Amino acid sequence: MSFFKSLSQNAMLSDVFRHNWEKAGYLIAMAEEICLGQSELSRAELEVLEAYCSKLNECQYCYQLHNEMAQVYGEEGELVTALFEDIDTAPTNEKIKALAHFLKRLTLEPYKNNQAAVNAVLSSGCSEKALADVIYLCSLSAMLNRLVFGFGIEGEGSQFTQVAQGIKETGYRKMYENMGLDVPKFKEI
């Protein structure tokens, strides 16, 4: 239920973005690159990790959306819950477990991040580039979680499936352009 009278009761994050496109359009450009850009990690792995960050932040909306997206990309659907309950026994590889441990600290106690935490991820077989991708993903997730909380967005289950499928088919940029919104290009310095 949205806190804003100018938004519907069933508003989705896309409605919030359209509400102030001059600012939000840049978030879509960021999401396109961070979530769908080139990465050594698979789309399913990135979506699992983004859903995990949102679950740690207790953002049910973003957790549901990205867990649904992970499933659209081939994940079974229970991995995020398993990671949340016990990273070390979750049914996944050591790289994802190491990234989940890192993200848990970065999300809940970012000031405690240190070289040992980075080294643990790198020793799992993860590259610095893939770790950097996940740090950007976690940072974007935190910002979007706060937008959801600030505007009071909840969404509904069937909406998440539709949005997840749309993002897989067209990406963020094209999905918003299909709504008649121009996604801005970042200014070159």
Side-chain angles (χ1 to χ4, degrees):
M1 176 165 123
S2 172
F3 300 144
F4 283 58
K5 292 177 182 166
S6 57
L7 297 169
S8 73
Q9 293 295 316
N10 296 331
M12 296 288 284
L13 198 50
S14 58
D15 298 309
V16 169
F17 290 161
R18 285 186 290 214
H19 190 256
N20 191 346
W21 188 247
E22 295 77 27
K23 290 185 173 123
Y26 287 100
L27 292 175
I28 298 306
M30 285 175 53
E32 181 80 16
E33 182 56 34
I34 292 170
C35 301
L36 301 176
Q38 293 295 317
S39 179
E40 296 170 16
L41 298 170
S42 72
R43 288 289 141 244
E45 289 171 327
L46 289 168
E47 292 298 338
V48 162
L49 295 170
E50 188 162 6
Y52 178 67
C53 287
S54 292
K55 189 162 181 72
L56 289 171
N57 278 321
E58 298 184 35
C59 183
Q60 189 63 22
Y61 177 98
C62 292
Y63 161 71
Q64 284 182 266
L65 175 61
H66 291 286
N67 198 44
E68 184 70 34
M69 288 184 67
Q71 291 175 54
V72 166
Y73 283 110
E75 178 53 51
E76 295 287 324
E78 299 301 320
L79 181 54
V80 176
T81 301
L83 288 168
F84 191 76
E85 290 174 359
D86 184 357
I87 294 169
D88 295 323
T89 62
T92 190
N93 62 54
E94 293 305 311
K95 180 169 54 174
I96 297 302
K97 289 178 183 180
L99 286 166
H101 277 294
F102 182 87
L103 287 174
K104 185 173 184 179
R105 174 180 277 172
L106 187 60
T107 300
L108 301 178
E109 301 177 305
Y111 53 90
K112 290 186 177 180
N113 200 26
N114 57 39
Q115 188 64 53
V118 171
N119 291 346
V121 174
L122 298 177
S123 69
S124 75
C126 186
S127 71
E128 284 187 359
K129 181 175 180 343
L131 176 56
D133 291 345
V134 171
I135 292 169
Y136 281 110
L137 186 76
C138 179
S139 301
L140 177 65
S141 181
M143 181 174 18
L144 294 173
N145 294 165
R146 272 58 179 181
L147 285 169
V148 167
F149 290 135
F151 283 93
I153 303 303
E154 293 177 1
E156 295 178 2
S158 62
Q159 292 173 313
F160 296 117
T161 303
Q162 182 180 357
V163 171
Q165 192 61 46
I167 292 168
K168 181 181 181 193
E169 289 172 9
T170 67
Y172 290 100
R173 178 179 293 279
K174 187 71 172 160
M175 185 176 75
Y176 281 92
E177 288 173 351
N178 288 344
M179 293 179 199
L181 299 167
D182 289 328
V183 177
K185 305 274 190 237
F186 288 106
K187 298 174 185 170
E188 292 192 32
I189 298 176

